[in-house]
Amino acid sequence: MRLLHLSDLHLGRRLCEADLFEDQKYILDQIVSIALSEGVQGVLVAGDVYDKSVPGVGAVNLWDHFLTALCEHHLPVWAISGNHDSAERLAFGGRLLEHSGVHLASVFDGRLSRFDTRDEHGPLAIWALPFVRPAAVRAFLPDEAIENYTDAAAALVRAAAPDTGGRNILIAHQFVTAGAALPAASGSELLNLGTLDNVDASAFDLFDYAALGHIHAAQSVGREEVRYCGSPLAYSVSEALGQKSVTVVDVGPKGQVRTKQVPLSPLRPLRRVQGPLEALLQSAVPSNDYIYARLTDQTPPLDPAARLRSVYPNLVRLEFVLPNVPETGAPALRQLALRTPRQLFEEFYRSVHGRELDDEEKTFLDDVLGEEAEG
């Protein structure tokens, strides 16, 4: 079976202050075209359909437009809720949509939802895990020892007991890591410090393919078959240098899964330009692309935003940077995420006071962190 793996549509989102309605409609129509040209037999949507828990009218209309287009071509859809979605709102009309081939697993009910389909190789079970926190899982599985996100995911998989002799696909929206290796994040995702919300990829070992959502850059985690497809559009200036795509998944006989990325072409690409203002203006070709400008002028020039907008009307961000100074990007943020709350506080204290914590302060910090953990 050939499937299209999508996630993180973030319908209703803005790029800085730019309204992305036209851009999102354009990319959704392109995704439908790709689904048809690639001959897929179904679409997996791994969460964050909407950007806000209370989506605007435009966002709801986009989702309706997308589902209608897929249903007109008789393509089934399996979708879950992400951390940005309101699970209850996304579930609205779910029982009616089921008759049109749209299968929603948005409200967590204590177990993995299961949808059965089949192809020329036999039955295929599609399991769905909407975004969930450990506390919600503990409420349904009180006999399980659940201390973190990995424990919660592993307990749900054990309870589901997928037939390991059959073919199983999982759709999930979580921050998945492979041991100490973190996925490449862009900065537009919400990640907790200290990797407190990570699920280790080993929790999904029983699945032939895990279709992940939450991280906006396409990549595998731990093994090729545990994969983020990435967002279809750049949703922060940190994503200006990345190529967006969708993932086509070919599920053959048991144990045979292949993936490929199909690139997307946005209506207005997000581009980064950097240099002195005068040099940028002289080399500029007028464009409606979204522009993230980094000016390296030693002295701030007069009214740079207005002058740049004369050639780049969709300037979304302007900042001044010192030449030859490395920027603090996603790699530095990922290293920050590896530190514990204690390490972060100690570094902050050292930067403010110029000394280490004394014994009394360390004892007090231990008490505070202990109370936070218990709470």
Side-chain angles (χ1 to χ4, degrees), residues 60-302:
V60 175
N61 287 340
L62 283 173
W63 181 233
D64 176 72
H65 170 78
F66 184 53
L67 290 182
T68 300
L70 294 174
C71 290
E72 285 176 348
H73 294 287
H74 308 289
L75 288 175
V77 178
W78 295 272
I80 64 171
S81 57
N83 59 302
H84 279 249
D85 297 309
S86 163
E88 291 76 14
R89 286 183 172 85
L90 188 60
F92 177 77
R95 283 174 289 183
L96 290 174
L97 290 171
E98 191 82 23
H99 296 294
S100 298
V102 179
H103 312 283
L104 300 176
S106 58
V107 179
F108 177 66
D109 61 1
R111 60 187 179 86
L112 300 184
S113 297
R114 174 175 173 165
F115 304 99
D116 291 312
T117 186
R118 63 184 303 114
D119 61 10
E120 66 272 23
H121 302 295
L124 175 65
I126 298 177
W127 302 85
L129 173 61
F131 177 75
V132 66
R133 293 183 170 86
V137 180
R138 280 195 294 267
F140 286 98
L141 301 175
D143 295 331
E144 290 276 2
I146 298 173
E147 297 182 359
N148 52 45
Y149 280 74
T150 299
D151 291 343
L156 288 171
V157 172
R158 283 195 299 272
D163 176 12
T164 55
R167 298 179 301 158
N168 298 280
I169 288 177
L170 175 71
I171 317 172
H173 189 96
Q174 298 288 351
F175 176 37
V176 179
T177 59
L182 300 178
S186 66
S188 57
E189 307 92 334
L190 294 177
L191 305 179
N192 288 345
L193 294 179
T195 64
L196 298 176
D197 62 353
N198 70 297
V199 175
D200 193 84
S202 61
F204 303 144
D205 281 349
L206 297 184
F207 298 96
D208 298 274
Y209 182 76
L212 303 179
H214 185 51
I215 301 298
H216 290 186
Q219 62 199 287
S220 295
V221 183
R223 60 184 173 101
E224 285 298 316
E225 297 79 17
V226 178
R227 184 166 186 80
Y228 286 107
C229 62
S231 61
L233 288 172
Y235 287 128
S236 74
V237 294
S238 61
E239 298 176 60
L241 303 179
Q243 169 66 57
K244 296 298 183 178
S245 62
V246 291
T247 299
V248 173
V249 185
D250 284 309
V251 184
K254 176 66 179 178
Q256 297 184 24
V257 174
R258 293 181 302 171
T259 64
K260 72 172 182 177
Q261 292 176 245
V262 180
L264 294 169
S265 300
L267 177 64
R268 287 173 283 236
L270 172 62
R271 293 194 290 117
R272 190 177 84 171
V273 297
Q274 180 167 324
L277 177 63
E278 293 302 330
L280 292 180
L281 291 172
Q282 289 174 11
S283 63
V285 176
S287 170
N288 286 321
D289 292 353
Y290 293 116
I291 298 297
Y292 164 36
R294 292 165 54 87
L295 300 185
T296 59
D297 298 82
Q298 295 289 348
T299 302
L302 181 65

Side-chain angles (χ1 to χ4, degrees), residues 48-62:
D48 279 356
V49 169
Y50 296 121
D51 190 56
K52 292 180 170 53
S53 58
V54 183
V57 172
V60 175
N61 287 340
L62 283 173

